[in-house]
Amino acid sequence: MAGKHSNKTNRDMRFRLSFLILVFAVLGFVVVAGKLLYLQVINTNFYQSKAAENQTKDLIITPMRGTIYDRNMTDLAVSATTQEISVSPADIRKKGLASVEVKRDKKGKAIAATDEEKEAACLTYQKRVAKLLAKYLELDYKETLKKIQRDQSYVRIARHVDADVADELVAKLKEESLYTGVSTTEDSKRYYKYGNFASQVLGFTNDDGQGLYGLELQYNDVLKGVAGRVVKATNALGSDMPYDYEKYVPAKDGNGVVTTLDEGVQHYLEKHLEEVLEQTSAKKGVCGIVMDVKTGEILAMSTKPDFDLNNPRVIPEEYTSLLSELNNLSGEEYDKKYSEILLNLWRNKALNDTYEPGSTFKVFTVSTALEEGLVNDNSTFVCGGAKTVKDRTIKCWKSGGHGTQVLKDTLANSCNVAMMDISSLIGTDMFRKYFEAYGFMEKTGIDLPGEATGIFFDSMGEVDLATASFGQNFQVTPLQELSMVSAVANGGKLVTPHVVREIVDSDGNVQQTVDTEVKRQVISKETSNTMNSYLENVVSQGTGQNAYVAGYRVGGKTATSEKQPKSDKSLRIASFIGLAPMDDPQYAVLVMIDEPQTANKGGGAVAAPVVARIFEDILPYLGVEAIYSDEEADRQEITVPTLTGQSVDDAKKALDDLGLSYTVQGDGKKVTDQLPVAGISVQPDNKIVLYCGEKKPKDKVKVPDVSGMSVANARAALTQAGLYMKQNGIASWRTSGASAAVQQSPSAGSEAARGSVVTVAFGNNVTSQE
């Protein structure tokens, strides 16, 4: 009995043990199955990517960014082919370990290197590679060595390396047997042909080729293209597998952008903005726009001071006043101020900033009243120097008043009192209706980033209406103001400004065309024609006389607006919007000078002459023919012919036929030299010098300061210095006041070759603060 009980007990124990083993086996299987499920199903993407990361080397091929052109297909921003230098730390380490010096015993048998010897050899090899990379790529040696020693299959060392530098580096690495593990991949670098040319409009990119500002940002998706890839399989040591394991996906280059900008017009605009910035020392800079009034195409746009697109994070050395702001600053204060200056340089004042437009807005007030039939040519207004609106007395800029004046003269005189009278006829509801119709309640829609929105009254009272009539106590952008004046001039159509004409592929095939967009008809053609005659009268008879250009019919409007805070009465913005030619307006030019540091801050005195100089350059360039009146005959330019080598009699006859006076120096029979040289254009009252038997002097002369002089005195001073004068600006017969020199180029005190032409602009000393 006892034996049977013992056997049964053993069987039970074996059964329980087997059951427990089975349970644990099942549990173990479940755990393993669950883990496999987690690895292979639930989290498969993560581990697949990790495997791919360890088993492949993925190189990005940067596409060639599209070119930005001006309207005549002149390259403005291009991408040059460069090289990216990268390394495979694993390959370099493997090569370094294998570079250990082989030691042999007395019998010549190789002695296996120790681990310490291998590591020492590897470090020496890595240092040699790092030293060459740092030298040729101008990098920090220690940082480069750290990159080479990383536990990664691929590390980028440098981008945008010029091809010749990369070639020299590769040749040197191969020469010293250090090329293993170093790779070069085609890359591209953005290059701006003209440096600071149209800098705020074009914008720039970051190191990865992404647009940050201007057109580069606005059209980034068009320009950037599609990146390509090279995927290479690697072995357990991180080394490349044979070519069969490589996959190549080519990059797709970006499309090009053809802008509305004209390289020539942009050049002239920037030239004159730089001059007025220097002359006025404007604290907050200057800006200008040239626009086709019929299409809305921007031919030129600039803000000064600006920056070099190829070095956008460097403050240009010529802006000493900006650099002086950094003196005595250090640390965080220095960094903060430096960043503030750069952000201001990058801003496009024409559309990123708002201002009180001042008297250029009077174009809005008069055109609105005309369109609604509230006034006409015969309407008269009386200005006694001020007007009381409710309990507030608001002054005209002319303290004595303008007396009785007809409608066109209210614009010519830029009369604030007349504008207040006209706005009272319009009323707040109608005023707001046209304010919206002219586009001031919305962005213009220009294809550039960062456009600001104007600031207008939530509700208008009588005083608000009165001050708004002459452009005060609300804000708009310069581009909005120019768009309004262009609509008045072009027949009454508000068009959308734009800076891009076409999108083209890399072969120049047009992919997309940007057409003129007419938003709405604001005023009638008849009202537009009347306003154009009024605006021409502003230049011929009124506060805009300094915008006169010989041979062309120019119209426009002056403005001298206040700035916030109003407590500082010295802060002003001088501006002028010009139109030409007034028989059929085609082009509008706005110049705004923010806080000029001159005694006279009026738009007529400071901004109007700049617009005149711009028109004088761009109208002939754009093919608009000058038509001179009898009084302007002395302004026509004559090209000096080649006289050297001719007989004295033949040279004299040639000059007589051209209507040019001359003087002869020497008693030779032939002309041996001449001043000025052939090809120079001079006005008829300049005298040509014929050298007979001798050579003209080759020295340079100091340009005299002719500011404030009359035409006759300025010409005499320049002639005495051996220079010729080209007379620009207002003529004495057009003004009741004295016409004096207000601007000259080259500047006073500079040196110029004897016989050079000095351009002198003459104008009225307009004292209005309209």
Side-chain angles (χ1 to χ4, degrees):
M1 296 290 294
K4 291 181 179 180
H5 177 76
S6 176
N7 290 336
K8 181 180 180 183
T9 300
N10 289 337
R11 284 197 303 271
D12 290 343
M13 290 179 66
R14 286 195 297 271
F15 176 78
R16 291 192 192 100
L17 183 60
S18 298
F19 179 75
L20 287 173
I21 292 173
L22 178 62
V23 169
F24 282 114
V26 170
L27 288 174
F29 176 78
V30 170
V31 171
V32 172
K35 189 64 175 178
L36 290 174
L37 179 67
Y38 175 78
L39 293 174
Q40 297 183 1
V41 179
I42 298 176
N43 213 24
T44 183
N45 291 336
F46 173 78
Y47 286 100
Q48 283 181 350
S49 65
K50 281 293 184 182
E53 184 179 313
N54 291 328
Q55 298 167 14
T56 61
K57 183 189 296 182
D58 192 351
L59 304 179
I60 302 299
I61 302 175
T62 305
M64 194 70 74
R65 192 172 177 86
T67 301
I68 299 178
Y69 306 91
D70 87 334
R71 67 194 300 117
N72 300 311
M73 299 304 289
T74 300
D75 295 346
L76 300 180
V78 298
S79 288
T81 299
T82 57
Q83 295 292 320
E84 176 183 311
I85 309 298
S86 60
V87 297
S88 170
D91 287 349
I92 292 176
R93 177 174 175 77
K94 181 180 178 182
K95 179 72 173 179
L97 291 172
S99 67
V100 65
E101 183 180 349
V102 178
K103 295 181 180 180
R104 300 182 181 277
D105 58 19
K106 294 180 179 181
K107 295 181 180 181
K109 185 178 180 181
I111 301 174
T114 65
D115 289 344
E116 290 78 7
E117 289 173 333
K118 290 180 180 180
E119 288 297 331
C122 179
L123 179 58
T124 300
Y125 185 87
Q126 290 171 331
K127 286 181 175 180
R128 291 177 64 200
V129 175
K131 185 177 180 180
L132 280 181
L133 291 176
K135 176 184 177 181
Y136 280 85
L137 303 178
E138 298 181 354
L139 300 173
D140 180 82
Y141 164 72
K142 290 183 179 179
E143 290 299 319
T144 305
L145 181 60
K146 286 180 181 179
K147 289 182 178 181
I148 288 176
Q149 293 174 329
R150 287 180 186 174
D151 186 17
Q152 294 176 231
S153 61
Y154 162 79
V155 176
R156 176 188 291 163
I157 298 297
R159 292 194 62 186
H160 310 313
V161 179
D162 290 341
D164 55 346
V165 174
D167 291 343
E168 288 181 21
L169 170 62
V170 169
K172 189 64 175 178
L173 287 168
K174 288 181 176 179
E175 178 186 326
E176 299 194 12
S177 301
L178 299 172
Y179 186 60
T180 300
V182 180
S183 300
T184 61
T185 308
E186 190 173 284
D187 196 4
S188 65
K189 178 181 179 181
R190 203 59 165 169
Y191 176 69
Y192 300 92
K193 187 175 180 181
Y194 300 111
N196 66 338
F197 183 84
S199 55
Q200 294 93 355
V201 178
L202 297 181
F204 55 93
T205 64
N206 62 15
D207 288 340
D208 292 325
Q210 298 299 307
L212 295 182
Y213 282 86
L215 287 170
E216 293 280 27
L217 172 59
Q218 186 75 18
Y219 286 87
N220 186 60
D221 290 343
V222 171
L223 293 162
K224 69 180 183 181
V226 180
R229 301 173 71 188
V230 177
V231 182
K232 295 182 178 181
T234 59
N235 58 26
L237 297 176
S239 301
D240 291 348
M241 296 286 281
Y243 183 78
D244 292 344
Y245 294 90
E246 179 176 304
K247 182 178 180 182
Y248 176 76
V249 179
K252 181 181 178 182
D253 293 341
N255 285 330
V257 170
V258 182
T259 70
T260 61
L261 298 176
D262 186 296
E263 186 266 337
V265 178
Q266 182 76 26
H267 163 76
Y268 288 126
L269 175 66
E270 294 197 18
K271 167 190 170 185
H272 292 293
L273 289 182
E274 286 171 356
E275 288 176 351
V276 75
L277 177 63
E278 180 182 357
Q279 292 161 5
T280 64
S281 300
K283 276 192 174 181
K284 298 299 176 66
V286 300
C287 77
I289 313 170
V290 181
M291 185 166 79
D292 185 315
V293 302
K294 297 179 180 179
T295 66
E297 291 187 342
I298 303 296
L299 277 71
M301 179 182 283
S302 179
T303 297
K304 299 289 181 179
D306 54 12
F307 60 98
D308 183 353
L309 288 165
N310 295 306
N311 298 286
R313 290 175 177 80
V314 176
I315 300 172
E317 292 183 2
E318 59 265 32
Y319 299 129
T320 54
S321 62
L322 296 177
L323 292 169
S324 67
E325 295 181 36
L326 298 170
N327 292 342
N328 303 319
L329 294 179
S330 60
E332 291 185 4
E333 287 186 345
Y334 181 94
D335 293 341
K336 182 179 179 181
K337 190 63 180 180
Y338 197 94
S339 297
E340 178 186 317
I341 292 173
L342 283 182
L343 289 173
N344 284 330
L345 290 177
W346 296 344
R347 288 184 70 81
N348 187 340
K349 287 178 72 70
L351 56 96
N352 296 153
D353 294 349
T354 60
Y355 76 121
E356 293 188 11
S359 294
T360 54
F361 191 77
K362 291 171 182 174
V363 176
F364 166 94
T365 303
V366 176
S367 66
T368 297
L370 271 172
E371 181 66 17
E372 289 297 316
L374 303 172
V375 294
N376 57 49
D377 286 346
N378 299 318
S379 298
T380 58
F381 302 88
V382 180
C383 172
K387 179 180 174 69
T388 300
V389 181
K390 296 190 78 172
D391 58 348
R392 180 177 170 185
T393 298
I394 304 173
K395 296 180 180 180
C396 186
W397 66 266
K398 188 175 183 180
S399 58
H402 294 99
T404 302
Q405 53 200 327
V406 295
L407 185 61
K408 73 172 184 177
D409 290 335
T410 64
L411 270 183
N413 296 328
S414 198
C415 179
N416 292 350
V417 170
M419 294 304 121
M420 290 187 277
D421 288 342
I422 294 171
S423 68
S424 68
L425 298 175
I426 297 172
T428 57
D429 290 343
M430 190 68 67
F431 195 95
R432 184 178 289 275
K433 173 187 173 183
Y434 275 84
F435 195 83
E436 183 174 349
Y438 271 121
F440 289 114
M441 301 294 280
E442 60 187 358
K443 297 178 181 180
T444 66
I446 189 172
D447 47 349
L448 284 172
E451 183 176 11
T453 303
I455 304 169
F456 198 58
F457 306 97
D458 292 330
S459 61
M460 292 184 73
E462 288 184 49
V463 175
D464 297 328
L465 179 64
T467 57
S469 70
F470 52 88
Q472 296 287 3
N473 293 332
F474 66 91
Q475 298 206 354
V476 298
T477 67
L479 184 61
Q480 284 179 316
E481 189 74 356
L482 184 64
S483 295
M484 178 269 290
V485 174
S486 295
V488 168
N490 70 12
K493 299 175 181 177
L494 183 69
V495 297
T496 301
H498 58 283
V499 292
V500 169
R501 301 181 83 181
E502 295 172 337
I503 305 298
V504 297
D505 63 19
S506 56
D507 295 322
N509 301 310
V510 177
Q511 304 296 302
Q512 180 184 342
T513 301
V514 179
D515 297 320
T516 299
E517 178 189 356
V518 178
K519 290 183 177 178
R520 65 188 72 92
Q521 184 84 31
V522 183
I523 59 175
S524 66
K525 176 68 173 174
E526 292 72 24
T527 300
S528 174
N529 290 339
T530 301
M531 285 299 301
N532 284 339
S533 67
Y534 289 0
L535 292 171
E536 186 173 6
N537 187 56
V538 171
V539 174
S540 63
Q541 302 293 329
T543 58
Q545 291 184 55
N546 283 338
Y548 159 77
V549 180
Y552 295 99
R553 293 171 58 185
V554 177
K557 186 69 192 75
T558 53
T560 313
S561 50
E562 297 178 349
K563 288 197 67 175
Q564 300 291 348
K566 294 294 179 66
S567 57
D568 188 344
K569 300 295 184 182
S570 68
L571 299 180
R572 291 289 186 274
I573 292 178
S575 63
F576 187 84
I577 296 178
L579 298 161
M582 292 311 293
D583 54 329
D584 181 22
Q586 297 179 52
Y587 305 107
V589 176
L590 175 146
V591 167
M592 185 188 80
I593 304 163
D594 199 344
E595 296 188 20
Q597 303 301 298
T598 48
N600 190 336
K601 298 176 173 62
V606 181
V610 184
V611 173
R613 302 295 77 75
I614 293 169
F615 272 139
E616 198 158 41
D617 282 334
I618 71 171
L619 290 176
Y621 171 82
L622 292 170
V624 182
E625 184 179 357
I627 301 174
Y628 295 92
S629 64
D630 292 340
E631 295 92 342
E632 296 172 331
D634 63 334
R635 297 298 188 91
Q636 298 187 58
E637 294 185 0
I638 301 171
T639 301
V640 177
T642 300
L643 304 169
T644 302
Q646 294 187 25
S647 68
V648 176
D649 289 341
D650 287 344
K652 288 180 178 180
K653 184 178 184 305
L655 294 174
D656 287 336
D657 291 343
L658 291 171
L660 290 171
S661 58
Y662 52 86
T663 183
V664 179
Q665 293 190 14
D667 53 7
K669 300 296 183 181
K670 284 191 174 184
V671 178
T672 52
D673 218 331
Q674 66 182 82
L675 273 181
V677 297
I680 293 291
S681 295
V682 297
Q683 291 165 341
D685 47 6
N686 282 293
K687 187 170 288 188
I688 310 303
V689 181
L690 301 176
Y691 293 91
C692 300
E694 56 185 88
K695 289 288 186 180
K696 68 184 178 185
K698 301 291 186 181
D699 60 321
K700 287 190 174 183
V701 298
K702 186 176 181 180
V703 179
D705 185 356
V706 299
S707 59
M709 292 186 184
S710 66
V711 173
N713 289 341
R715 190 181 303 282
L718 291 170
T719 299
Q720 186 176 3
L723 300 167
Y724 289 88
M725 186 180 86
K726 176 183 177 181
Q727 179 186 349
N728 281 346
I730 194 168
S732 58
W733 59 267
R734 290 182 58 91
T735 175
S736 57
S739 178
V742 295
Q743 188 183 73
Q744 67 181 87
S745 181
S747 59
S750 61
E751 288 190 340
R754 185 179 295 274
S756 297
V757 176
V758 177
T759 301
V760 182
F762 293 85
N764 268 341
N765 185 23
V766 181
T767 58
S768 67
Q769 294 289 317
E770 73 287 357

